[in-house]
Protein backbone atom coordinates (compact mmCIF):
# COMPACT_ATOMS: atom_id res chain seq x y z
CA UNK A 1 0.00 0.00 0.00
CA UNK A 2 1.48 3.42 -0.93
CA UNK A 3 2.52 5.43 2.10
CA UNK A 4 2.65 2.53 4.59
CA UNK A 5 6.26 3.30 5.45
CA UNK A 6 5.32 6.93 6.05
CA UNK A 7 2.53 5.95 8.43
CA UNK A 8 4.96 3.84 10.46
CA UNK A 9 7.24 6.87 10.76
CA UNK A 10 4.46 9.27 11.76
CA UNK A 11 3.22 6.87 14.46
CA UNK A 12 6.48 7.12 16.35
CA UNK A 13 6.23 9.31 19.49
CA UNK A 14 6.54 13.03 18.74
CA UNK A 15 7.34 12.59 15.05
CA UNK A 16 3.99 13.75 13.66
CA UNK A 17 4.08 16.95 15.70
CA UNK A 18 7.57 17.86 14.55
CA UNK A 19 6.77 17.09 10.92
CA UNK A 20 3.51 19.07 10.83
CA UNK A 21 5.02 22.02 12.71
CA UNK A 22 7.84 22.29 10.18
CA UNK A 23 5.31 22.26 7.35
CA UNK A 24 3.61 25.24 8.99
CA UNK A 25 6.92 27.04 9.55
CA UNK A 26 7.94 26.45 5.91
CA UNK A 27 4.86 28.10 4.38
CA UNK A 28 6.82 31.38 3.88
CA UNK A 29 9.27 29.48 1.67
CA UNK A 30 6.63 29.26 -1.05
CA UNK A 31 5.08 32.73 -0.85
CA UNK A 32 7.51 35.19 0.82
CA UNK A 33 9.51 36.11 -2.29
CA UNK A 34 6.38 36.50 -4.44
CA UNK A 35 4.66 38.50 -1.70
CA UNK A 36 7.64 40.89 -1.57
CA UNK A 37 7.47 41.38 -5.35
CA UNK A 38 3.72 42.05 -5.28
CA UNK A 39 3.98 44.48 -2.36
CA UNK A 40 6.89 46.53 -3.69
CA UNK A 41 5.41 46.61 -7.20
CA UNK A 42 2.01 47.76 -5.96
CA UNK A 43 3.50 50.57 -3.88
CA UNK A 44 6.37 51.80 -6.05
CA UNK A 45 5.05 50.82 -9.49
CA UNK A 46 8.50 49.55 -10.49
CA UNK A 47 9.27 45.96 -11.41
CA UNK A 48 12.96 46.78 -11.15
CA UNK A 49 12.68 47.82 -7.50
CA UNK A 50 10.50 44.78 -6.78
CA UNK A 51 13.02 42.42 -8.38
CA UNK A 52 15.97 43.96 -6.52
CA UNK A 53 14.15 43.73 -3.19
CA UNK A 54 13.22 40.08 -3.73
CA UNK A 55 16.77 39.38 -4.91
CA UNK A 56 18.29 40.77 -1.73
CA UNK A 57 15.93 38.56 0.26
CA UNK A 58 17.25 35.49 -1.59
CA UNK A 59 20.86 36.63 -1.18
CA UNK A 60 20.41 37.05 2.55
CA UNK A 61 18.90 33.56 2.80
CA UNK A 62 21.78 31.97 0.88
CA UNK A 63 24.43 33.80 2.94
CA UNK A 64 22.91 33.02 6.32
CA UNK A 65 22.02 29.36 5.72
CA UNK A 66 25.49 27.86 6.46
CA UNK A 67 26.09 30.26 9.36
CA UNK A 68 22.77 29.54 11.05
CA UNK A 69 23.25 25.81 10.41
CA UNK A 70 26.57 25.83 12.25
CA UNK A 71 25.02 27.85 15.06
CA UNK A 72 22.28 25.25 15.43
CA UNK A 73 24.91 22.51 15.65
CA UNK A 74 26.84 24.40 18.33
CA UNK A 75 24.08 25.82 20.54
CA UNK A 76 21.14 23.53 19.84
CA UNK A 77 17.92 23.98 17.90
CA UNK A 78 15.81 24.71 20.95
CA UNK A 79 17.81 27.86 21.73
CA UNK A 80 18.44 29.31 18.28
CA UNK A 81 15.31 28.70 16.20
CA UNK A 82 12.87 30.87 18.24
CA UNK A 83 15.33 33.79 18.14
CA UNK A 84 15.68 33.50 14.37
CA UNK A 85 11.91 33.25 13.92
CA UNK A 86 11.38 36.41 15.98
CA UNK A 87 13.95 38.33 13.92
CA UNK A 88 12.46 37.03 10.65
CA UNK A 89 8.94 38.01 11.65
CA UNK A 90 10.07 41.43 12.83
CA UNK A 91 11.85 42.17 9.54
CA UNK A 92 8.82 41.07 7.48
CA UNK A 93 6.43 43.21 9.55
CA UNK A 94 8.77 46.20 9.27
CA UNK A 95 8.97 45.71 5.49
CA UNK A 96 5.19 45.49 5.18
CA UNK A 97 4.59 48.63 7.26
CA UNK A 98 7.47 50.71 5.86
CA UNK A 99 6.78 50.00 2.18
CA UNK A 100 5.62 53.28 0.66
CA UNK A 101 7.41 55.38 3.30
CA UNK A 102 11.04 54.37 2.61
CA UNK A 103 13.28 54.43 -0.43
CA UNK A 104 14.08 51.32 -2.46
CA UNK A 105 17.50 50.95 -0.81
CA UNK A 106 15.95 50.86 2.65
CA UNK A 107 13.39 48.29 1.52
CA UNK A 108 16.23 46.17 0.16
CA UNK A 109 18.00 46.39 3.52
CA UNK A 110 14.88 45.17 5.34
CA UNK A 111 14.49 42.31 2.86
CA UNK A 112 18.16 41.40 3.38
CA UNK A 113 17.59 41.34 7.15
CA UNK A 114 14.58 39.08 6.68
CA UNK A 115 16.69 36.69 4.62
CA UNK A 116 19.49 36.69 7.19
CA UNK A 117 17.07 35.80 10.02
CA UNK A 118 15.13 33.20 8.07
CA UNK A 119 14.94 30.11 10.37
CA UNK A 120 16.29 26.97 8.64
CA UNK A 121 13.59 24.63 9.94
CA UNK A 122 13.97 22.38 6.90
CA UNK A 123 17.66 21.73 7.63
CA UNK A 124 16.90 21.43 11.35
CA UNK A 125 14.34 18.67 10.86
CA UNK A 126 16.54 16.79 8.41
CA UNK A 127 19.37 16.85 10.95
CA UNK A 128 16.94 15.58 13.61
CA UNK A 129 15.57 12.59 11.66
CA UNK A 130 18.38 10.17 12.75
CA UNK A 131 17.33 10.77 16.37
CA UNK A 132 13.63 10.23 15.61
CA UNK A 133 13.61 7.04 13.51
CA UNK A 134 15.78 3.91 13.23
CA UNK A 135 18.51 3.84 10.64
CA UNK A 136 16.46 1.50 8.42
CA UNK A 137 13.75 4.19 8.06
CA UNK A 138 15.95 7.25 7.53
CA UNK A 139 15.70 7.12 3.73
CA UNK A 140 11.89 6.94 3.91
CA UNK A 141 11.83 9.78 6.44
CA UNK A 142 13.72 12.10 4.10
CA UNK A 143 11.43 11.24 1.18
CA UNK A 144 8.42 11.88 3.45
CA UNK A 145 9.88 15.28 4.24
CA UNK A 146 10.35 16.10 0.55
CA UNK A 147 6.87 14.81 -0.32
CA UNK A 148 5.26 16.92 2.40
CA UNK A 149 7.11 19.93 1.11
CA UNK A 150 5.25 19.57 -2.18
CA UNK A 151 2.03 20.26 -0.28
CA UNK A 152 3.52 23.63 0.68
CA UNK A 153 4.41 24.50 -2.90
CA UNK A 154 0.93 23.49 -4.05
CA UNK A 155 -1.09 25.11 -1.25
CA UNK A 156 1.15 28.13 -0.68
CA UNK A 157 0.32 29.92 -3.96
CA UNK A 158 -3.38 29.25 -3.35
CA UNK A 159 -3.09 30.85 0.09
CA UNK A 160 -1.26 33.79 -1.46
CA UNK A 161 -4.06 34.29 -3.97
CA UNK A 162 -6.69 34.28 -1.23
CA UNK A 163 -4.76 36.85 0.82
CA UNK A 164 -4.20 39.12 -2.19
CA UNK A 165 -7.92 38.93 -3.01
CA UNK A 166 -8.58 41.02 0.08
CA UNK A 167 -6.99 44.02 -1.65
CA UNK A 168 -4.25 44.53 0.96
CA UNK A 169 -0.79 43.63 -0.41
CA UNK A 170 0.73 43.87 3.08
CA UNK A 171 -1.36 40.97 4.36
CA UNK A 172 0.71 38.08 2.85
CA UNK A 173 3.90 39.26 4.59
CA UNK A 174 2.01 39.61 7.88
CA UNK A 175 0.70 36.05 7.46
CA UNK A 176 4.24 34.81 6.77
CA UNK A 177 5.43 36.37 10.01
CA UNK A 178 2.64 34.76 12.03
CA UNK A 179 2.95 31.24 10.63
CA UNK A 180 6.75 31.33 10.87
CA UNK A 181 6.70 32.16 14.59
CA UNK A 182 3.87 29.74 15.35
CA UNK A 183 5.39 26.81 13.45
CA UNK A 184 8.90 27.38 14.81
CA UNK A 185 7.74 27.60 18.42
CA UNK A 186 5.58 24.49 18.00
CA UNK A 187 8.59 22.66 16.57
CA UNK A 188 11.05 23.87 19.20
CA UNK A 189 8.83 22.91 22.13
CA UNK A 190 8.29 19.43 20.68
CA UNK A 191 11.97 18.57 20.30
CA UNK A 192 13.25 15.58 22.28
CA UNK A 193 15.45 16.22 25.26
CA UNK A 194 19.04 16.88 24.14
CA UNK A 195 21.57 14.16 24.86
CA UNK A 196 25.25 14.70 25.50
CA UNK A 197 26.45 18.04 24.18
CA UNK A 198 28.52 17.35 21.10
CA UNK A 199 31.74 19.15 20.39
CA UNK A 200 30.43 20.91 17.28
CA UNK A 201 32.34 24.08 18.13
CA UNK A 202 35.57 22.19 17.45
CA UNK A 203 34.22 20.08 14.58
CA UNK A 204 35.62 20.95 11.15
CA UNK A 205 33.44 22.32 8.39
CA UNK A 206 31.42 19.63 6.57
CA UNK A 207 32.81 21.01 3.30
CA UNK A 208 36.05 19.21 4.16
CA UNK A 209 34.24 15.92 3.65
CA UNK A 210 34.77 14.57 0.17
CA UNK A 211 31.36 12.88 0.13
CA UNK A 212 29.54 16.18 0.66
CA UNK A 213 31.56 17.95 -2.02
CA UNK A 214 30.64 15.19 -4.46
CA UNK A 215 26.93 15.60 -3.69
CA UNK A 216 26.99 19.39 -4.05
CA UNK A 217 27.87 19.08 -7.76
CA UNK A 218 24.64 17.30 -8.81
CA UNK A 219 22.72 19.54 -6.38
CA UNK A 220 24.07 22.60 -8.19
CA UNK A 221 23.19 21.10 -11.60
CA UNK A 222 19.66 20.44 -10.35
CA UNK A 223 19.34 24.01 -9.08
CA UNK A 224 20.42 25.50 -12.41
CA UNK A 225 18.04 23.18 -14.28
CA UNK A 226 15.12 24.10 -11.99
CA UNK A 227 15.86 27.80 -12.45
CA UNK A 228 15.85 27.41 -16.23
CA UNK A 229 12.62 25.41 -16.07
CA UNK A 230 10.72 28.01 -14.02
CA UNK A 231 11.31 30.79 -16.52
CA UNK A 232 10.87 28.49 -19.54
CA UNK A 233 7.41 27.48 -18.31
CA UNK A 234 6.39 31.15 -18.10
CA UNK A 235 7.70 31.80 -21.62
CA UNK A 236 5.99 28.71 -23.07
CA UNK A 237 2.66 29.56 -21.41
CA UNK A 238 2.89 33.16 -22.59
CA UNK A 239 3.41 32.00 -26.19
CA UNK A 240 0.61 29.39 -26.18
CA UNK A 241 -2.30 30.80 -24.22
CA UNK A 242 -1.40 33.20 -21.42
CA UNK A 243 0.96 33.62 -18.48
CA UNK A 244 -1.74 32.47 -16.06
CA UNK A 245 -1.27 28.91 -17.31
CA UNK A 246 2.25 28.85 -15.85
CA UNK A 247 0.80 28.49 -12.35
CA UNK A 248 -1.34 25.55 -13.50
CA UNK A 249 1.71 23.84 -14.98
CA UNK A 250 3.67 24.29 -11.74
CA UNK A 251 0.74 22.87 -9.74
CA UNK A 252 0.60 19.79 -12.01
CA UNK A 253 4.35 19.42 -11.55
CA UNK A 254 3.85 19.43 -7.78
CA UNK A 255 1.08 16.83 -8.00
CA UNK A 256 3.38 14.58 -10.00
CA UNK A 257 6.08 14.97 -7.35
CA UNK A 258 3.56 14.14 -4.63
CA UNK A 259 2.50 10.98 -6.47
CA UNK A 260 6.14 9.99 -7.02
CA UNK A 261 6.89 10.37 -3.34
CA UNK A 262 3.95 8.17 -2.36
CA UNK A 263 4.96 5.48 -4.83
CA UNK A 264 8.56 5.61 -3.64
CA UNK A 265 7.40 5.04 -0.07
CA UNK A 266 5.30 1.99 -0.99
CA UNK A 267 8.26 -0.41 -0.90
CA UNK A 268 11.64 -1.00 0.68
CA UNK A 269 14.56 -0.22 -1.60
CA UNK A 270 17.89 -1.98 -1.62
CA UNK A 271 21.29 -0.76 -2.70
CA UNK A 272 23.14 2.42 -1.80
CA UNK A 273 20.98 5.51 -1.43
CA UNK A 274 23.53 7.55 -3.41
CA UNK A 275 22.89 5.37 -6.44
CA UNK A 276 19.14 5.91 -6.16
CA UNK A 277 19.66 9.66 -5.87
CA UNK A 278 21.69 9.82 -9.07
CA UNK A 279 19.15 7.58 -10.84
CA UNK A 280 16.25 9.86 -9.87
CA UNK A 281 18.19 12.91 -11.06
CA UNK A 282 18.86 11.19 -14.38
CA UNK A 283 15.14 10.46 -14.78
CA UNK A 284 14.39 14.10 -13.99
CA UNK A 285 16.84 15.26 -16.66
CA UNK A 286 15.42 12.86 -19.27
CA UNK A 287 11.87 14.03 -18.54
CA UNK A 288 13.01 17.63 -18.88
CA UNK A 289 14.31 16.98 -22.36
CA UNK A 290 10.94 15.46 -23.34
CA UNK A 291 9.27 18.83 -22.68
CA UNK A 292 10.93 20.17 -25.83
CA UNK A 293 8.64 17.90 -27.89
CA UNK A 294 5.45 19.57 -26.60
CA UNK A 295 3.59 21.68 -29.15
CA UNK A 296 0.80 22.91 -26.91
CA UNK A 297 -0.28 23.43 -23.32
CA UNK A 298 -2.21 20.15 -23.15
CA UNK A 299 0.77 18.04 -24.12
CA UNK A 300 3.06 20.02 -21.82
CA UNK A 301 0.64 19.59 -18.92
CA UNK A 302 0.64 15.82 -19.44
CA UNK A 303 4.43 15.74 -19.59
CA UNK A 304 4.68 17.67 -16.31
CA UNK A 305 3.39 14.59 -14.44
CA UNK A 306 6.34 12.27 -15.29
CA UNK A 307 8.63 15.25 -14.78
CA UNK A 308 7.47 15.61 -11.19
CA UNK A 309 7.46 11.94 -10.21
CA UNK A 310 11.25 11.57 -9.62
CA UNK A 311 11.49 14.97 -7.86
CA UNK A 312 10.53 13.98 -4.29
CA UNK A 313 12.57 10.73 -4.40
CA UNK A 314 15.56 12.70 -5.72
CA UNK A 315 15.40 15.34 -2.98
CA UNK A 316 14.80 12.74 -0.27
CA UNK A 317 17.64 10.51 -1.47
CA UNK A 318 19.90 13.55 -1.70
CA UNK A 319 19.16 14.40 1.93
CA UNK A 320 19.82 10.82 3.02
CA UNK A 321 23.11 10.86 1.11
CA UNK A 322 24.14 14.12 2.78
CA UNK A 323 23.30 12.69 6.19
CA UNK A 324 25.49 9.66 5.48
CA UNK A 325 28.38 11.77 4.20
CA UNK A 326 28.98 13.96 7.27
CA UNK A 327 29.25 13.45 11.04
CA UNK A 328 26.16 14.09 13.13
CA UNK A 329 27.92 17.00 14.87
CA UNK A 330 27.81 19.05 11.63
CA UNK A 331 24.75 17.64 9.87
CA UNK A 332 22.63 20.80 10.16
CA UNK A 333 25.39 22.89 8.58
CA UNK A 334 25.74 20.32 5.79
CA UNK A 335 22.01 20.50 4.99
CA UNK A 336 22.21 24.30 5.10
CA UNK A 337 25.08 24.25 2.60
CA UNK A 338 23.04 22.03 0.30
CA UNK A 339 20.10 24.43 0.52
CA UNK A 340 22.35 27.43 -0.15
CA UNK A 341 23.95 25.79 -3.19
CA UNK A 342 20.56 24.92 -4.70
CA UNK A 343 19.22 28.44 -4.01
CA UNK A 344 22.18 30.18 -5.65
CA UNK A 345 22.11 27.72 -8.56
CA UNK A 346 18.41 28.42 -9.16
CA UNK A 347 19.11 32.14 -9.29
CA UNK A 348 21.91 31.52 -11.79
CA UNK A 349 19.60 29.27 -13.81
CA UNK A 350 16.99 32.01 -14.03
CA UNK A 351 19.60 34.41 -15.42
CA UNK A 352 20.87 31.83 -17.93
CA UNK A 353 17.33 30.93 -18.97
CA UNK A 354 16.57 34.50 -19.95
CA UNK A 355 19.47 34.54 -22.40
CA UNK A 356 18.54 31.14 -23.88
CA UNK A 357 14.84 31.96 -24.28
CA UNK A 358 15.59 35.34 -25.82
CA UNK A 359 17.85 33.77 -28.42
CA UNK A 360 16.42 30.31 -29.13
CA UNK A 361 13.04 29.93 -27.40
CA UNK A 362 11.71 27.87 -24.47
CA UNK A 363 12.17 24.52 -26.27
CA UNK A 364 15.94 25.01 -26.31
CA UNK A 365 15.78 25.99 -22.65
CA UNK A 366 14.06 22.67 -21.86
CA UNK A 367 16.84 20.80 -23.65
CA UNK A 368 19.53 22.75 -21.81
CA UNK A 369 17.89 22.08 -18.43
CA UNK A 370 17.60 18.36 -19.20
CA UNK A 371 21.23 18.20 -20.26
CA UNK A 372 22.28 19.78 -16.97
CA UNK A 373 20.24 17.22 -15.02
CA UNK A 374 21.86 14.32 -16.87
CA UNK A 375 25.29 15.89 -16.45
CA UNK A 376 24.80 16.24 -12.70
CA UNK A 377 23.68 12.62 -12.37
CA UNK A 378 26.63 11.36 -14.42
CA UNK A 379 29.16 13.44 -12.49
CA UNK A 380 27.79 12.29 -9.15
CA UNK A 381 27.82 8.63 -10.19
CA UNK A 382 31.32 8.78 -11.65
CA UNK A 383 32.84 10.62 -8.69
CA UNK A 384 31.10 8.25 -6.26
CA UNK A 385 32.51 5.25 -8.11
CA UNK A 386 35.97 6.83 -8.17
CA UNK A 387 35.78 7.54 -4.43
CA UNK A 388 34.83 3.95 -3.65
CA UNK A 389 37.72 2.70 -5.74
CA UNK A 390 40.30 5.01 -4.14
CA UNK A 391 42.41 3.77 -1.20
CA UNK A 392 40.90 6.26 1.28
CA UNK A 393 37.40 6.09 -0.05
CA UNK A 394 36.11 3.71 2.59
CA UNK A 395 37.38 5.83 5.44
CA UNK A 396 36.10 9.05 3.86
CA UNK A 397 32.67 7.47 3.56
CA UNK A 398 32.20 7.10 7.29
CA UNK A 399 29.48 9.63 8.04
CA UNK A 400 26.74 9.73 10.60
CA UNK A 401 24.97 6.74 9.07
CA UNK A 402 27.92 4.81 7.65
CA UNK A 403 27.76 1.20 8.75
CA UNK A 404 24.13 1.48 9.70
CA UNK A 405 23.71 -2.27 9.83
CA UNK A 406 26.62 -2.49 12.27
CA UNK A 407 25.05 0.20 14.43
CA UNK A 408 21.84 -1.81 14.53
CA UNK A 409 23.90 -4.75 15.83
CA UNK A 410 25.68 -2.63 18.43
CA UNK A 411 28.86 -1.63 16.62
CA UNK A 412 29.86 1.97 16.09
CA UNK A 413 31.48 2.19 12.70
CA UNK A 414 33.26 0.56 9.85
CA UNK A 415 36.90 0.46 10.85
CA UNK A 416 38.07 3.96 9.99
CA UNK A 417 38.76 6.88 12.25
CA UNK A 418 35.81 7.57 14.51
CA UNK A 419 34.76 3.93 15.00
CA UNK A 420 35.06 2.54 18.50
CA UNK A 421 35.40 -1.17 17.52
CA UNK A 422 33.43 -2.23 20.56
CA UNK A 423 29.96 -3.75 20.99
CA UNK A 424 27.19 -1.92 22.79
CA UNK A 425 27.76 -2.10 26.55
CA UNK A 426 25.53 -0.09 28.93
CA UNK A 427 27.35 1.97 31.52
CA UNK A 428 25.66 0.14 34.39
CA UNK A 429 27.16 -3.27 33.59
CA UNK A 430 30.16 -4.31 35.73
CA UNK A 431 32.82 -4.36 33.03
CA UNK A 432 36.34 -3.00 33.06
CA UNK A 433 35.13 0.61 32.97
CA UNK A 434 32.54 0.19 35.72
CA UNK A 435 34.66 1.76 38.47
CA UNK A 436 34.79 5.19 36.79
CA UNK A 437 32.69 7.94 38.32
CA UNK A 438 29.55 9.21 36.63
CA UNK A 439 31.22 12.56 35.89
CA UNK A 440 34.11 10.79 34.19
CA UNK A 441 31.71 8.80 32.05
CA UNK A 442 29.85 11.97 31.00
CA UNK A 443 33.08 13.76 30.12
CA UNK A 444 34.29 10.81 28.05
CA UNK A 445 30.97 10.55 26.20
CA UNK A 446 30.93 14.27 25.42
CA UNK A 447 34.49 14.31 24.12
CA UNK A 448 33.94 11.19 22.01
CA UNK A 449 30.62 12.29 20.45
CA UNK A 450 32.22 14.41 17.75
CA UNK A 451 34.57 11.64 16.57
CA UNK A 452 31.96 8.86 16.76
CA UNK A 453 28.41 10.28 16.52
CA UNK A 454 26.81 6.86 16.94
CA UNK A 455 27.91 6.89 20.61
CA UNK A 456 25.68 9.89 21.18
CA UNK A 457 22.81 8.40 19.16
CA UNK A 458 22.93 4.84 20.39
CA UNK A 459 24.58 5.12 23.81
CA UNK A 460 27.70 3.09 23.14
CA UNK A 461 30.41 3.09 25.76
CA UNK A 462 33.32 5.50 25.11
CA UNK A 463 36.44 3.77 23.92
CA UNK A 464 39.67 4.77 22.16
CA UNK A 465 39.00 5.55 18.51
CA UNK A 466 41.28 5.04 15.53
CA UNK A 467 43.42 2.46 17.35
CA UNK A 468 42.14 -0.53 15.39
CA UNK A 469 41.86 -2.70 18.53
CA UNK A 470 39.39 -3.03 21.40
CA UNK A 471 40.10 -1.01 24.55
CA UNK A 472 42.01 -2.80 27.31
CA UNK A 473 39.91 -3.84 30.25
CA UNK A 474 41.53 -4.77 33.61
CA UNK A 475 39.94 -7.55 35.68
CA UNK A 476 38.61 -6.70 39.07
CA UNK A 477 40.78 -7.24 42.13
CA UNK A 478 44.36 -6.30 43.02
CA UNK A 479 46.82 -5.88 40.19
CA UNK A 480 49.25 -8.75 39.62
CA UNK A 481 52.44 -8.43 41.64
CA UNK A 482 51.01 -5.95 44.17
CA UNK A 483 50.45 -7.03 47.78
CA UNK A 484 47.51 -5.81 49.83
CA UNK A 485 47.93 -3.92 53.10
CA UNK A 486 47.01 -6.96 55.17
CA UNK A 487 49.57 -9.13 53.37
CA UNK A 488 52.25 -6.49 53.94
CA UNK A 489 51.47 -6.31 57.67
CA UNK A 490 51.25 -10.06 58.16
CA UNK A 491 53.85 -11.77 55.95
CA UNK A 492 52.47 -15.22 56.69
CA UNK A 493 48.96 -14.36 55.53
CA UNK A 494 47.98 -16.18 52.31
CA UNK A 495 47.04 -14.01 49.32
CA UNK A 496 43.37 -13.07 48.99
CA UNK A 497 41.49 -14.78 46.22
CA UNK A 498 38.04 -14.22 44.75
Amino acid sequence: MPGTRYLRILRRPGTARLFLSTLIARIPDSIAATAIVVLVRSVTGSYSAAGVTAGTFGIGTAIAAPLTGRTLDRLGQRRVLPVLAAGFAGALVALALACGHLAADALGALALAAGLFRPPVEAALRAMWPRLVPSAQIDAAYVLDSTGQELIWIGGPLLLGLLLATGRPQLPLMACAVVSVAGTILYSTGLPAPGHRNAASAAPSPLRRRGLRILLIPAACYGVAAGILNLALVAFASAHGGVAWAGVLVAIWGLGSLAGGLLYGSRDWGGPVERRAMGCLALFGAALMLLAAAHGLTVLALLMIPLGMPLSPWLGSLSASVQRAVPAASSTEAFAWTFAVITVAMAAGSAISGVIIQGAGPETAFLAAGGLGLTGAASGALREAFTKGSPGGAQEKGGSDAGGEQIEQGLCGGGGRGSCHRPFVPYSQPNGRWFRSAASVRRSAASAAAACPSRRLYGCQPAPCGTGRPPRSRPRGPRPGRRSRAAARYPGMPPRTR
Side-chain angles (χ1 to χ4, degrees), residues 13 61 64 96 109 159 176 179 187 202 212 241 264 274 333 401 410 415 493 498:
T61 301
L159 176 62
C176 287
V179 297
Y187 171 79
L212 179 62
Y264 185 87
E274 296 85 0
E333 184 182 356
D401 193 40
M493 181 178 178
R498 289 181 180 269

Short mmCIF file of all heavy atoms in Angstrom, two decimals, residues 13 61 64 96 109 159 176 179 187 202 212 241 264 274 333 401 410 415 493 498:
data_model
loop_
_atom_site.label_atom_id
_atom_site.label_comp_id
_atom_site.label_asym_id
_atom_site.label_seq_id
_atom_site.Cartn_x
_atom_site.Cartn_y
_atom_site.Cartn_z
N PRO A 13 6.56 8.24 18.54
CA PRO A 13 6.23 9.31 19.49
C PRO A 13 6.88 10.64 19.10
O PRO A 13 8.10 10.73 18.89
CB PRO A 13 6.79 8.80 20.82
CG PRO A 13 6.85 7.31 20.67
CD PRO A 13 7.15 7.06 19.22
N THR A 61 19.18 34.95 2.42
CA THR A 61 18.90 33.56 2.80
C THR A 61 20.08 32.66 2.48
O THR A 61 20.48 31.81 3.30
CB THR A 61 17.64 33.07 2.09
OG1 THR A 61 16.54 33.91 2.44
CG2 THR A 61 17.33 31.65 2.46
N ALA A 64 23.09 33.38 4.91
CA ALA A 64 22.91 33.02 6.32
C ALA A 64 22.73 31.53 6.53
O ALA A 64 22.92 31.06 7.67
CB ALA A 64 21.69 33.76 6.88
N ALA A 96 6.58 45.28 5.58
CA ALA A 96 5.19 45.49 5.18
C ALA A 96 4.69 46.88 5.59
O ALA A 96 3.95 47.53 4.84
CB ALA A 96 4.30 44.41 5.78
N ALA A 109 17.32 46.72 2.27
CA ALA A 109 18.00 46.39 3.52
C ALA A 109 17.10 45.58 4.45
O ALA A 109 17.55 44.63 5.10
CB ALA A 109 18.47 47.67 4.20
N LEU A 159 -2.93 29.97 -1.07
CA LEU A 159 -3.09 30.85 0.09
C LEU A 159 -2.71 32.28 -0.26
O LEU A 159 -3.39 33.24 0.17
CB LEU A 159 -2.24 30.33 1.24
CG LEU A 159 -2.22 31.17 2.51
CD1 LEU A 159 -3.61 31.28 3.12
CD2 LEU A 159 -1.24 30.60 3.53
N CYS A 176 2.96 35.54 6.71
CA CYS A 176 4.24 34.81 6.77
C CYS A 176 4.89 34.96 8.13
O CYS A 176 5.45 33.98 8.68
CB CYS A 176 5.18 35.33 5.68
SG CYS A 176 4.75 34.83 4.01
N VAL A 179 2.80 32.69 10.75
CA VAL A 179 2.95 31.24 10.63
C VAL A 179 4.40 30.81 10.90
O VAL A 179 4.64 29.70 11.40
CB VAL A 179 2.49 30.75 9.25
CG1 VAL A 179 1.01 31.03 9.05
CG2 VAL A 179 3.30 31.36 8.13
N TYR A 187 7.53 23.63 16.82
CA TYR A 187 8.59 22.66 16.57
C TYR A 187 9.61 22.64 17.70
O TYR A 187 10.02 21.57 18.17
CB TYR A 187 9.28 22.99 15.24
CG TYR A 187 10.53 22.19 14.96
CD1 TYR A 187 10.44 20.89 14.49
CD2 TYR A 187 11.79 22.73 15.18
CE1 TYR A 187 11.59 20.14 14.25
CE2 TYR A 187 12.94 22.00 14.93
CZ TYR A 187 12.83 20.71 14.47
OH TYR A 187 13.97 19.98 14.23
N ALA A 202 34.25 22.56 17.92
CA ALA A 202 35.57 22.19 17.45
C ALA A 202 35.54 21.31 16.21
O ALA A 202 36.58 20.93 15.70
CB ALA A 202 36.34 21.45 18.57
N LEU A 212 30.44 15.04 0.81
CA LEU A 212 29.54 16.18 0.66
C LEU A 212 29.90 17.00 -0.58
O LEU A 212 29.01 17.45 -1.31
CB LEU A 212 29.60 17.06 1.92
CG LEU A 212 28.72 18.30 1.88
CD1 LEU A 212 27.25 17.93 1.75
CD2 LEU A 212 28.93 19.16 3.13
N GLY A 241 -0.96 30.65 -24.80
CA GLY A 241 -2.30 30.80 -24.22
C GLY A 241 -2.40 31.77 -23.07
O GLY A 241 -3.51 32.08 -22.64
N TYR A 264 7.23 5.96 -4.14
CA TYR A 264 8.56 5.61 -3.64
C TYR A 264 8.47 5.03 -2.23
O TYR A 264 9.24 4.14 -1.87
CB TYR A 264 9.44 6.86 -3.65
CG TYR A 264 10.88 6.61 -3.25
CD1 TYR A 264 11.82 6.23 -4.19
CD2 TYR A 264 11.29 6.77 -1.93
CE1 TYR A 264 13.14 6.01 -3.83
CE2 TYR A 264 12.61 6.55 -1.57
CZ TYR A 264 13.52 6.17 -2.52
OH TYR A 264 14.82 5.95 -2.15
N GLU A 274 22.91 6.64 -2.45
CA GLU A 274 23.53 7.55 -3.41
C GLU A 274 23.24 7.14 -4.85
O GLU A 274 23.02 7.99 -5.71
CB GLU A 274 25.05 7.60 -3.18
CG GLU A 274 25.46 8.18 -1.83
CD GLU A 274 25.46 7.16 -0.73
OE1 GLU A 274 25.13 5.98 -1.01
OE2 GLU A 274 25.78 7.51 0.41
N GLU A 333 24.63 22.01 9.47
CA GLU A 333 25.39 22.89 8.58
C GLU A 333 25.51 22.27 7.19
O GLU A 333 25.45 22.99 6.18
CB GLU A 333 26.78 23.14 9.16
CG GLU A 333 27.61 24.13 8.34
CD GLU A 333 28.99 24.33 8.91
OE1 GLU A 333 29.29 23.77 9.98
OE2 GLU A 333 29.78 25.06 8.29
N ASP A 401 25.75 7.95 9.23
CA ASP A 401 24.97 6.74 9.07
C ASP A 401 25.78 5.65 8.39
O ASP A 401 25.24 4.65 7.96
CB ASP A 401 23.71 7.03 8.24
CG ASP A 401 22.70 5.90 8.30
OD1 ASP A 401 22.55 5.35 9.40
OD2 ASP A 401 22.10 5.56 7.28
N GLY A 410 24.95 -3.06 17.25
CA GLY A 410 25.68 -2.63 18.43
C GLY A 410 27.08 -2.21 18.17
O GLY A 410 27.85 -2.05 19.10
N GLY A 415 35.49 0.75 10.83
CA GLY A 415 36.90 0.46 10.85
C GLY A 415 37.78 1.64 10.62
O GLY A 415 38.98 1.57 10.81
N MET A 493 50.36 -14.28 55.98
CA MET A 493 48.96 -14.36 55.53
C MET A 493 48.90 -14.78 54.06
O MET A 493 49.63 -14.25 53.24
CB MET A 493 48.28 -13.01 55.70
CG MET A 493 46.83 -12.98 55.29
SD MET A 493 46.10 -11.38 55.56
CE MET A 493 44.44 -11.68 54.91
N ARG A 498 39.47 -14.45 44.94
CA ARG A 498 38.04 -14.22 44.75
C ARG A 498 37.41 -15.45 44.16
O ARG A 498 37.97 -16.02 43.24
CB ARG A 498 37.79 -13.04 43.79
CG ARG A 498 38.17 -11.71 44.41
CD ARG A 498 37.89 -10.57 43.43
NE ARG A 498 38.23 -9.28 44.00
CZ ARG A 498 37.40 -8.53 44.66
NH1 ARG A 498 36.16 -8.91 44.85
NH2 ARG A 498 37.79 -7.37 45.16
#
